[in-house]
Amino acid sequence: WIVNHINSLLNPDSLLSDEDKGLNIGILDIFGFENFKRNSFEQLCINIANEQIQFYFNQHIFAWEQNEYLNEEVDARVIEYEDNRPLLDMFLQKPMGLLSLLDEECRFPQGTDQTLVEKFEGNLKSNYFWRPKRVDLTFGIQ
């Protein structure tokens, strides 16, 4: 329900051409598999779920196995990998993660797109979040 509601709010007038349809969320997952011209809130949720699976995989295959090798004094090459936990925390942490802030702003009667972006900027203390100067409703996550 929430995905359909957000998508309908982002695209209120279905009579517009494909290039001019409403607002949009541009999403590119970390490994670049989902590079669509247009994306939706649903794609954001899918990408977050994929990142959680990737984190689980990294923890089990790399971190824990390497610890086990060290404990058993097995001569194994240390594999370096990027930990995506800080990015997941930025999205999922309560009460100040991006999704929690979105939920809070949706419940606020005077909430607007502008107040949402300002809330993100004021509360997301992450190197991954950025907002260009002099562009009202734009922000990025890298």
Side-chain angles (χ1 to χ4, degrees):
W1 177 87
I2 193 165
V3 169
N4 288 334
H5 185 67
I6 288 173
N7 285 339
S8 70
L9 290 173
L10 290 174
N11 188 11
D13 188 357
S14 61
L15 299 176
L16 297 173
S17 71
D18 282 344
E19 292 180 14
D20 296 326
K21 283 188 177 178
L23 302 172
N24 69 75
I25 299 174
I27 301 167
L28 173 66
D29 80 16
I30 286 179
F31 298 103
F33 295 117
E34 306 291 339
N35 188 3
F36 300 128
K37 186 171 183 176
R38 284 274 219 259
N39 288 291
S40 65
F41 181 71
E42 183 177 19
Q43 187 64 47
L44 173 66
C45 293
I46 290 167
N47 287 355
I48 291 171
N50 286 340
E51 289 303 319
Q52 287 180 294
I53 293 168
Q54 183 68 41
F55 174 76
Y56 180 83
F57 176 83
N58 288 347
Q59 282 297 104
H60 283 78
I61 300 303
F62 296 125
W64 293 349
E65 286 298 317
Q66 287 183 27
N67 261 353
E68 193 65 31
Y69 292 158
L70 289 172
N71 291 337
E72 294 178 8
E73 298 179 5
V74 173
D75 186 22
R77 183 173 61 110
V78 174
I79 298 171
E80 293 186 24
Y81 61 94
E82 188 169 335
D83 183 9
N84 64 351
R85 180 86 254 166
L87 185 63
L88 286 172
D89 287 345
M90 186 192 68
F91 278 101
L92 301 173
Q93 216 168 31
K94 293 181 180 181
M96 291 300 176
L98 189 138
L99 293 179
S100 292
L101 294 170
L102 173 63
D103 182 54
E104 177 183 290
E105 193 67 13
C106 288
R107 296 170 192 269
F108 188 63
Q110 287 80 30
T112 66
D113 296 341
Q114 185 67 41
T115 58
L116 175 64
V117 173
E118 289 169 0
K119 184 172 282 193
F120 286 164
E121 186 174 34
N123 291 285
L124 294 176
K125 306 299 182 208
S126 170
N127 295 333
Y128 297 104
F129 179 86
W130 61 273
R131 184 171 177 205
K133 300 208 182 313
R134 294 185 283 279
V135 183
D136 287 342
L137 298 177
T138 301
F139 65 92
I141 298 167
Q142 53 182 338

